[in-house]
Amino acid sequence: MRPLFLMPSAARADEGRVGENEKDRVLTVGSKPKLDLSVNAYADLQFAYFNYGENQNRANGSQKDSRLVFDTTRLVLELEAGLPEYGLEAEFEVEFEHGGAGAAMELEYEEFGEFDTDVEKAGEALVEELYLTKKLGRDVEVSVGRFYVAVGTLFADYLPTSYLATIRSEAETRIIPNTWNDMGMQLRWDTPWGVRLTGQVVNGLDSTGFNSNTWVATGLQQRFELVRASDLAGVLRADVRRFEGFNFGVSAYYGGTTRNRPKPDLVKQCDDANPNMVAPCGYISAPLFIADVHLSVNRNRWRAHAMVMYGHLGNAAAVSARNARLSNLLNVLRTPVSDNALSAWGELGYDIAPWLGLDGNHRLEPYVRIDYMDSQFKPRAELFDNPRFERTVYTVGTSYTLAGLAVLKLDFSQRRMGSSVFRPENALRMSTGFVY
Amino acid sequence: MSSRSLKLSLLVGGALLMGACGDDDDTNLESLDQQLVVNFADNLVVPTYNLLATRMIELDAAAQALRNAPSTTTLKGAQDAWFAARVPWEQSESFLFGPVDSNGWDPAMDSWPVNRTDLDAVLGNNDTLSQQYVSNLQETQKGFHTTEYLLFGEGQVKKPEEFNARQFEYLLALTAELKAVSGNLAASWTTGVNGQAPYRDTLATAGESGNTAYPTVEAGAQEMLGGILVILDEVANGKIADPYDAKDANLVESQFALNSLSDFTNNMRSVENVYLGHRPETAQKGLSMSDVVKERDAALDTRVKAEIAAAIAALGKVPEPFPVSIKDPASADEIEGAQAAIRKLHDTFQVDVKAIILP
């Protein structure tokens, strides 16, 4: 292949990046159509100090401790290839988490209150995005494949340069999957009124992964080779983009979770059941509804994010009762899942680089962040509303960004539980990474 | 099963092996007699779970008697019922497989350490404490040890007049839930629950065509051996080591009733019961793991029995109460001696017995 000329790549959900254009190539091979090629990557490294023990299930919360944790959090490689003449674009993204792929031992404190070692995928190689997009005119495109589910802020702002703090919002990643990606079809329309509408139909979550601690965040289907899509979910998202530097909108998710369980084990009983049929009397539905309001600001020297998310799981009692009897081999927490969850977070930073005489390639942003999450928000009467699962995290720190490509961040956070009985947890984190 | 029929089965297996030697280098030796798993299921597992279910009914009744007429006598009755229920439970811990595992009943009944802050939070709220409510609680807010916390207080100091209505409400919901779970556990082996076949049949038909769980008798024996190895490792390297190494009494199992060493000893009895093929109060009826080992290596059988006795004796030398002795340097030799004896037994099962049972 021989590069002929440079040309900007097609627009992405997260928009163009600094330095991206230079890497774009448009190629022709013999008499074949022009190929528009772009390679991107981003990475995130974490160095953290914690003053508390790992076991949060102790009386009065986690014990005092002093420990350091280093993590090659993620390395993500992206490849975009397009056939501009045909309005086609393909993208894939592979994420390497925690430095590799394989099995790792984990100490699980939450479920049994005792040391319990589980083998689960820790270092992971994941295909997070793999989709084909067809442009239908200038403002409409349809995609098929695996893509980010259009809920919350991480749908668009997942790069280490996209948010201010050293880690993604705990409020968001504790109750829904982190950079939630599923398979299905997506339709996107940039309306003439400056509103981008996104509609998705995707495979739903698997309710065997739901639990007290992380609500539905661990319901992402990752344990089996095939993704079950017997219960589908629909997503609608509207983002107002007409005001420069402001992006705000709403999203809503609704879908079933029962028929994606590995076994048909959440079924109705009836007298005249047909023994030759799976679930002859039907399934006990456990529909999941999530809605959020989100805001992103990047104007002049200010940057901010904010989000409020509410979720409701139907028939959570039935899910919990069945999950309590799941096999150990499924490697899920078997604690009861709440009917409702609530989370909210916001961060605000201001660039002081100009005060220090630094040019436009530098951003130095002191910031504050607050995360609030309650994975047992107003549960059913027979479920104990444990204050351990209501958490507020206060963070202050500084982010330094060079040319929109490299970041170095330092922050201090304190996590407080829903009751003063539990000891606050302090963390000092440094992170560094790049986006290219 | 008599020794003669054992020999017969060994001979048959051996003849089959010799016939297969010509075209297969696989060193698979004599096949095990199915009576090994049949006897294990019928003469040990089922009676142990039935006894547990009975003891839980008695515990629930004793808790009700305590609530109805709180007194030193009824409190002692409830405490004694709790001690009595611990015996079959701890003696079942060398076979924590099958329904007790796959249905999550082990953690639902016996998670430790309990989280006293969470327990106090339950006691402090206004929710109605029904059996269903308790069933929905985290594992560390129900089961044996939450019941123990309510019945004994910290260090066996609970007095009958210290119970309030809320504690009784919690206690009775807990014992009702324990009764229900242990009843389901026993039924899961005898009649089947949730539409599943009795697990007794699943195990006892090991090696028969159509048994996908245990396609061979050896697969059943491997389950038995695995259960023994798990509990020996758990006692030496978890139940004793965790609190002892951390010098943390909060990690001690049965810390409120000061029943830890009794628990550990019953775990050893559990191993002994599996090995000998019967409960202490009943006579041996059929083929046991001991019989198989004795047939193939009589010296090893003698050694295993001696090491089981040595582990129990070593636990007997650890000074009571265990939550105190873990912090007492004068008890270190006894604690580490008990760990060493249990680890030795573990290694004997893992290497020598396994080589005999599953060559």
Side-chain angles (χ1 to χ4, degrees), chain B residues 256-278:
Chain B
F256 308 121
L258 304 178
N259 196 49
S260 316
L261 290 165
S262 171
D263 282 352
F264 307 159
T265 303
N266 277 316
N267 288 155
M268 295 304 109
R269 295 286 180 205
S270 181
V271 171
E272 185 176 43
N273 294 348
V274 175
Y275 188 68
L276 298 179
H278 65 102

Side-chain angles (χ1 to χ4, degrees), chain B residues 312-325:
Chain B
I312 291 171
L315 282 168
K317 290 178 184 169
V318 177
E320 294 273 18
F322 190 62
V324 174
S325 58

Side-chain angles (χ1 to χ4, degrees), chain A residues 134-199:
Chain A
K134 169 68 177 170
K135 288 194 176 301
L136 307 172
R138 204 165 64 91
D139 300 320
V140 179
E141 62 180 39
V142 62
S143 303
V144 177
R146 174 173 289 279
F147 43 74
Y148 292 137
V149 176
V151 174
T153 65
L154 287 173
F155 168 65
D157 297 325
Y158 55 87
L159 299 169
T161 48
S162 304
Y163 48 89
L164 289 161
T166 51
I167 58 171
R168 292 169 176 171
S169 165
E170 185 175 337
E172 197 162 332
T173 57
R174 183 171 282 275
I175 69 163
I176 63 169
N178 191 346
T179 52
W180 186 353
N181 58 93
D182 268 330
M183 290 188 71
M185 180 178 287
Q186 171 179 293
L187 185 67
R188 202 174 74 189
W189 177 31
D190 284 318
T191 68
W193 316 289
V195 179
R196 171 175 285 182
L197 298 175
T198 306

Side-chain angles (χ1 to χ4, degrees), chain B residues 54-66:
Chain B
T54 303
R55 294 268 166 94
M56 286 301 192
I57 292 169
E58 292 166 357
L59 172 62
D60 185 53
Q64 290 183 39
L66 171 63

Side-chain angles (χ1 to χ4, degrees), chain A residues 57-60 63 110-115 212 324-328 334-336 381-384 386 388 421, chain B residues 101-104 107 111-113 115 117-118 121-122 125 133 136-141 194 242 248 250-251:
Chain A
N57 198 32
R58 296 290 301 236
N60 304 314
Q63 296 166 296
E110 183 55 46
E111 188 177 28
F112 300 167
E114 64 183 24
F115 285 104
S212 300
R325 291 185 283 112
L326 287 173
S327 167
N328 259 347
R334 295 178 292 199
T335 52
E382 64 270 21
L383 180 61
F384 173 51
N386 196 326
R388 283 200 299 122
V421 170
Chain B
D101 173 50
S102 58
N103 288 325
S111 285
W112 68 281
N115 183 333
T117 305
D118 282 1
V122 174
N125 72 14
Y133 184 91
N136 274 317
L137 289 172
Q138 305 284 306
E139 314 295 3
T140 51
Q141 293 172 301
N194 303 321
D242 285 355
D248 186 348
N250 285 322
L251 297 175

